Amino acid sequence: MDAWLPQSILALRGYSRRDLWADLLAGITVGLVALPLAMAFAIASGLPPQAGLITAVVAGFLISALGGSRTQIGGPTGAFVVVIAGIVARFGVDGLFTCTLMAGVLLVLLGATGLGTAVRFIPRPVVIGFTNGIAVLIASTQIKDFFGLTIPHPSSVFVPRLIEIAHALPTWSRPTTLLGVGALAVVLLAPRIFPRVPGSIVALVLGTAAAMLLPGAGFETIGTRFGTLPAGLTAFRVPHVRPELVHELLAPSLTVAMLGAIESLLSATVADRMTKDRHNPNVELVAQGIANIASPMFGGLPATGAIARTATSIRSGARTPVAGMVHALTLLAVLMFAAPLTQHVPIAVLSAILLVVSWNMGEWQEIPELLKLSKADISVWLVTFMLTVFADLTLAVEAGMILAALLFIRKVAATTTISEITHEEIAGGRVHVMQDKHIPGYVTVFRIHGPFLFGSTDKLDEVARRVDRLTPIVVLRLRNMTAIDATGLQAIEDLADRLHAAGRTLILCGARQQPAQLMARAEFDQHVGHENICPNIQAALARASELYDAGPARAAAN
């Protein structure tokens, strides 16, 4: 029964006053961080700022109350901006609400049928490709407001948008640009001066103060564009579903559902690493689905787990889902009692904040690592990225998945061989045989059997979950691993990093040709040390003996 209980209920077992105090502080902190982001995401999506705040309140509360992660923070995110803007431009706001409802139902079905783990079948190059592409698209949508350009009806398509920006450059506003540049500098520099204060909050306060003190400067604000925000939540209303649009909305609904599932489970995984906890993916997806069904009924947007806000909450001391619920209630208090003040917030400040968000979400540091991998992995990433930017996200994910599946088949086929058994092969294989090898008490040996490609990497989680109970030296035997891809390589890198953080050493041995070549190209030895990649189990055990005799491993064993 516990397998389907939300973490909020499980966390109440042994919940203390100290836990409550920590969750209150973390929830209020992340609520203030979410304030400018929620408004900025809504505006960038083509909706009024209160839509973002409502999403953070309604969906954020439900995701924390019903979810499978102890520290997940939910709400509107940058990943949805481009998709929402496209849906609104084509089908209107009612079309968006219908699409969000449909995506919510799909997410509930994914979780309820136990398919939450199916998200792992999306390869790493596809995820990075569309993450890079979304970041570029979000940044391009903010150039107009950052420089105060006059573009009456901005295009929702990337290339026409850039052409419009180029034609509108003579209309740039000096005061708006100065405010935007100043806000950008504050967002980037404030955390270095005040590490515990989010830069976006400092920029929001200073930018709003500047707009109020200099009313004649000509800054465009939330008030001048949208008017005064209404206080409180909008009335509950079931969106009008137009049956003739359901078929057309199916593809974007699938995109919203897949984006929501991917980002929420990625965020929950990041939270697990930071807290050494483990989320329940199916319960999390059911909660995400319920949140996305409820959000449009109050005029909200699609929602998912927010990686940056989740990390902020954890760093602020969050211990249970109560922190996420407090975050939602903090934003509700802003809506109830301080909504009129938001009319003074300059649009350029929100654009500066979103430019930083787009840069941070882009995972640009992954690109040099991907370029070290096989041409197949690079091609999947490049196709996904280019289609995300120049076509649309739905087509990008579909094409990326089809290409990845074809390359998966090709990779498995390439590693299937038929060869004659020779005396030399028999003699050379003796160093790989386990039967005559002694495994000392300070060594644990695991093996990977078969192709270690996207879709199978979660099997290594069993080792990661036992990391604190493992011996000082862990040997991963790759003799029977016939193939590996970027996702599999990332999984082994993560395991190596976790073992290292726990004071343990990972040794790899016996990699065959394709895995060995990919690991060498990716400079995998940086994660474990060149001397800890051995040709066979015999050499690996000898290396383990050297490490144990050197001292640190012996101390850890005792």
Side-chain angles (χ1 to χ4, degrees):
M1 185 63 184
D2 282 4
W4 289 99
L5 285 177
Q7 282 292 333
S8 59
I9 295 177
L10 298 176
L12 293 178
R13 300 169 182 173
Y15 194 73
S16 66
R17 185 177 298 178
R18 181 177 296 180
D19 293 331
L20 176 60
W21 181 245
D23 286 336
L24 284 173
L25 289 178
I28 293 171
T29 300
V30 76
L32 294 175
V33 170
L35 176 62
L37 293 176
M39 293 191 294
F41 290 140
I43 293 170
S45 302
L47 287 118
Q50 63 263 32
L53 293 175
I54 289 169
T55 308
V57 172
V58 176
F61 187 89
L62 291 173
I63 287 170
S64 293
L66 304 177
S69 170
R70 289 178 68 90
T71 49
Q72 177 91 282
I73 300 294
T77 67
F80 285 130
V81 165
V82 180
V83 180
I84 294 172
I87 295 171
V88 171
R90 185 176 175 189
F91 301 105
V93 176
D94 276 337
L96 171 65
F97 291 159
T98 303
C99 182
T100 307
L101 275 171
M102 293 170 62
V105 172
L106 290 172
L107 285 168
V108 170
L109 291 175
L110 274 177
T113 54
L115 292 175
T117 54
V119 177
R120 71 177 185 269
F121 288 99
I122 300 179
R124 178 185 171 206
V126 173
V127 174
I128 294 173
F130 70 66
T131 302
N132 295 154
I134 290 170
V136 170
L137 289 173
I138 292 175
S140 71
T141 63
Q142 299 310 301
I143 296 174
K144 167 187 173 290
D145 291 330
F146 186 82
F147 292 104
L149 303 177
T150 302
I151 304 176
H153 303 289
S155 174
S156 60
V157 183
F158 181 68
V159 175
R161 185 188 304 130
L162 293 185
I163 295 172
E164 290 173 350
I165 290 170
H167 290 161
L169 284 178
T171 67
W172 74 288
S173 166
R174 187 186 300 272
T176 300
T177 303
L178 288 175
L179 182 63
V181 171
L184 189 64
V186 170
V187 174
L188 295 173
L189 299 177
R192 300 184 182 183
I193 303 171
F194 308 105
R196 300 182 67 85
V197 180
S200 58
I201 293 296
V202 180
L204 182 71
V205 171
L206 294 180
T208 303
M212 295 175 70
L213 294 173
L214 302 170
F219 301 136
E220 186 179 22
T221 65
I222 286 178
T224 59
R225 182 181 292 188
F226 300 101
T228 304
L229 266 65
L233 295 176
T234 56
F236 178 87
R237 181 179 72 89
V238 177
H240 175 63
V241 178
R242 294 165 56 188
E244 69 274 12
L245 288 183
V246 171
H247 178 72
E248 291 185 69
L249 286 170
L250 185 58
S253 296
L254 284 169
T255 301
V256 170
M258 289 306 299
L259 267 180
I262 293 166
E263 190 159 2
S264 65
L265 296 185
L266 281 176
S267 178
T269 302
V270 170
D272 289 349
R273 291 173 185 168
M274 295 180 70
T275 61
K276 294 182 172 56
D277 195 24
R278 186 186 178 198
H279 72 281
N280 185 322
N282 293 315
V283 173
E284 184 63 30
L285 288 191
V286 170
Q288 297 285 341
I290 293 172
N292 279 283
I293 292 172
S295 179
M297 295 185 180
F298 292 91
L301 312 174
T304 184
I307 296 175
R309 274 160 278 169
T310 298
T312 299
S313 181
I314 294 170
R315 285 195 292 265
S316 299
R319 299 183 182 182
T320 73
V322 172
M325 291 185 272
V326 171
H327 135 270
L329 294 176
T330 301
L331 290 169
L332 179 60
V334 172
L335 265 177
M336 294 289 291
F337 306 111
L341 295 177
T342 59
Q343 66 180 315
H344 302 293
V345 175
I347 300 294
V349 172
L350 297 180
S351 293
I353 292 172
L354 274 192
L355 285 174
V356 176
V357 168
S358 65
W359 174 260
N360 290 337
M361 73 174 289
E363 298 193 52
W364 310 108
Q365 72 281 0
E366 294 281 356
I367 296 178
E369 298 299 320
L370 272 175
L371 294 178
K372 298 175 185 177
L373 303 178
S374 65
K375 293 179 180 178
D377 289 314
I378 295 171
S379 66
V380 170
W381 163 74
L382 191 58
V383 166
T384 307
F385 172 73
M386 297 297 285
L387 287 176
T388 300
V389 174
F390 296 104
D392 66 77
L393 193 59
T394 304
L395 179 61
V397 175
E398 291 172 353
M401 288 298 296
I402 292 171
L403 184 56
L406 292 174
L407 292 172
F408 176 95
I409 296 170
R410 176 179 174 273
K411 194 167 292 184
V412 172
T415 56
T416 302
T417 60
I418 299 175
S419 60
E420 181 183 357
I421 300 296
T422 64
H423 294 292
E424 291 78 10
E425 186 173 352
I426 294 173
R430 290 195 177 101
V431 289
H432 296 284
V433 175
M434 291 292 301
Q435 280 76 2
D436 60 347
K437 306 295 188 300
H438 169 68
I439 301 176
Y442 52 84
V443 175
T444 304
V445 179
F446 294 94
R447 71 172 182 176
I448 298 176
H449 196 95
F452 194 58
L453 309 173
F454 73 92
S456 61
T457 56
D458 67 307
K459 294 177 173 61
L460 205 57
D461 290 347
E462 180 60 32
V463 181
R465 284 194 291 270
R466 295 171 51 188
V467 67
D468 293 328
R469 303 192 303 273
L470 293 175
T471 54
I473 300 172
V474 176
V475 175
L476 192 59
R477 187 167 175 257
L478 309 179
R479 173 66 175 172
N480 296 321
M481 184 179 75
T482 53
I484 193 171
D485 65 356
T487 310
L489 197 62
Q490 180 69 51
I492 298 179
E493 288 179 2
D494 290 342
L495 176 63
D497 292 341
R498 290 192 64 173
L499 287 169
H500 179 73
R504 286 156 174 78
T505 301
L506 177 66
I507 299 175
L508 304 178
C509 70
R512 292 178 179 268
Q513 182 180 8
Q514 189 272 340
Q517 288 178 346
L518 187 63
M519 291 169 73
R521 194 181 301 126
E523 300 177 354
F524 186 82
D525 56 351
Q526 294 179 1
H527 290 269
V528 296
H530 180 73
E531 64 281 0
N532 291 330
I533 299 180
C534 302
N536 51 64
I537 185 64
Q538 184 171 297
L541 293 174
R543 172 60 182 164
S545 179
E546 290 177 14
L547 290 170
Y548 184 73
D549 292 339
R554 182 188 296 272
N558 295 329

